[in-house]
Amino acid sequence: MDRKDLQQVIKNEIVSVTKDGAEISLLVKDFKTQDILYSHEDTKEVVSASIIKVPIMLTALEQVQEGKLELDSFIELKDAGILEDTEVFEYGGGKYTLEELLVWMIIESDNTATNCLIDLLSMETINTFCKKHSLKSTKLERRMLDFQAVQEGRNNYTSAGDMAILYEELYNRTILTPDLCNTALGILKRQRHKQLSLRYIYDDITVAHKTGSLDNLDHDAGIFYLPNIQYYFGAFVWNAPSNEYASKWIGRISKGIYEYYKTNNER
């Protein structure tokens, strides 16, 4: 499939999904050439779900860079802070290193680890980090699973374009020291949730990404690493008829884009 044909397929897919009531934000960009293959509402501010955990991680690593924290420093996790959805800390609290909490927050999307890190860093520090890096749509207004905050009108937000800024700075090793950028990318490459952008891709490929999910909402954003092409894929779907609907849509779009880049990569 050539470029124009792929772009038409994506356009048709967007028309189809929006007819069903879902809303879409999409950005696909080749980081080596700066070519934007496709964009649709990529600056639109949307509820972030767990995508917000990427700037939280980078804020923590910036604190390491500034000498305020260390990756091997121990942080106390109290029993009272353990959420019912944890699949990591169900045996109780204790002391965990900063690196452990960062890893579980990203690869397992553990909300208990996330809240512990929010309390450690503060919402103000995380939002200051976002502003400093020109993330116009990204802000943290609540802790994980704080449904009372949502009822009161406070939520967490981002955009496909904002995530592209963070991932491109990580890719270029400019947002932090090269070593700390490698630490962040190494964690993102260990992501365990692969049912979205990797849903229909059976090749063994490297992707540094983070997913997010709430009722009728699924997001996936990150870097696909092919031998000669590294591209950003950010697809956000919300107000979908179901999560299965959203995840399958992201999977179809991602597979088509991957096959396009794979073909070009092999020429």
Side-chain angles (χ1 to χ4, degrees), residues 30-245:
D30 184 333
F31 278 163
K32 289 187 73 174
T33 67
Q34 296 297 296
D35 174 63
I36 295 176
L37 177 67
Y38 206 94
S39 67
H40 177 80
E41 300 283 2
D42 58 283
T43 62
K44 188 175 183 64
E45 180 182 291
V46 302
V47 172
S48 67
S50 289
I51 295 283
I52 198 69
K53 294 169 184 177
V54 176
I56 293 173
M57 174 178 66
L58 296 178
T59 301
L61 292 176
E62 184 180 68
Q63 297 279 298
V64 173
Q65 178 176 278
E66 294 175 354
K68 298 174 181 177
L69 293 171
E70 295 180 1
L71 283 171
D72 59 359
S73 60
F74 283 95
I75 298 159
E76 184 177 5
L77 174 60
K78 297 181 180 180
D79 289 346
I82 298 176
L83 301 174
E84 60 183 12
D85 71 334
T86 188
E87 296 183 4
V88 178
F89 305 105
E90 61 264 40
Y91 295 112
K95 291 186 176 181
Y96 300 89
T97 66
L98 174 63
E99 186 168 18
E100 283 180 282
L101 293 173
L102 291 173
V103 168
W104 290 126
M105 176 177 70
I106 297 298
I107 74 169
E108 194 59 55
S109 206
D110 188 83
N111 290 318
T112 294
T114 307
N115 281 350
C116 186
L117 289 166
I118 291 172
D119 293 342
L120 175 71
L121 300 167
S122 83
M123 287 191 189
E124 181 181 3
T125 299
I126 295 163
N127 286 323
T128 297
F129 173 89
C130 293
K131 290 178 182 178
K132 182 168 68 174
H133 290 279
S134 302
L135 308 183
K136 297 180 180 179
S137 302
T138 305
K139 54 190 173 185
L140 179 72
E141 295 183 343
R142 67 169 178 86
R143 299 165 86 246
M144 300 302 108
L145 302 191
D146 187 349
F147 302 116
Q148 181 65 36
V150 176
Q151 291 178 0
E152 294 171 356
R154 289 178 284 117
N155 216 324
N156 303 324
Y157 301 92
T158 192
S159 69
D162 277 6
M163 286 299 107
I165 291 172
L166 286 185
Y167 277 105
E168 187 160 12
E169 288 194 53
L170 274 175
Y171 173 79
N172 291 322
R173 310 304 198 273
T174 55
I175 196 167
L176 300 164
T177 65
D179 282 347
L180 287 172
C181 285
N182 288 338
T183 296
L185 288 168
I187 294 172
L188 289 160
K189 288 174 183 177
R190 294 163 61 186
Q191 174 64 240
R192 292 181 175 180
H193 297 270
K194 302 178 184 297
Q195 72 275 27
L196 298 177
S197 64
L198 294 171
R199 185 183 186 99
Y200 302 120
I201 297 173
Y202 58 81
D203 291 341
D204 184 14
I205 59 173
T206 298
V207 184
H209 68 128
K210 182 74 190 79
T211 61
S213 182
L214 292 168
D215 289 344
N216 307 105
L217 174 156
D218 279 297
H219 305 329
D220 201 347
I223 308 169
F224 278 66
Y225 289 85
L226 279 64
N228 298 310
I229 298 172
Q230 292 83 51
Y231 66 92
Y232 169 79
F233 174 82
F236 293 7
V237 183
W238 65 103
N239 293 334
S242 68
N243 286 96
E244 182 180 25
Y245 182 101

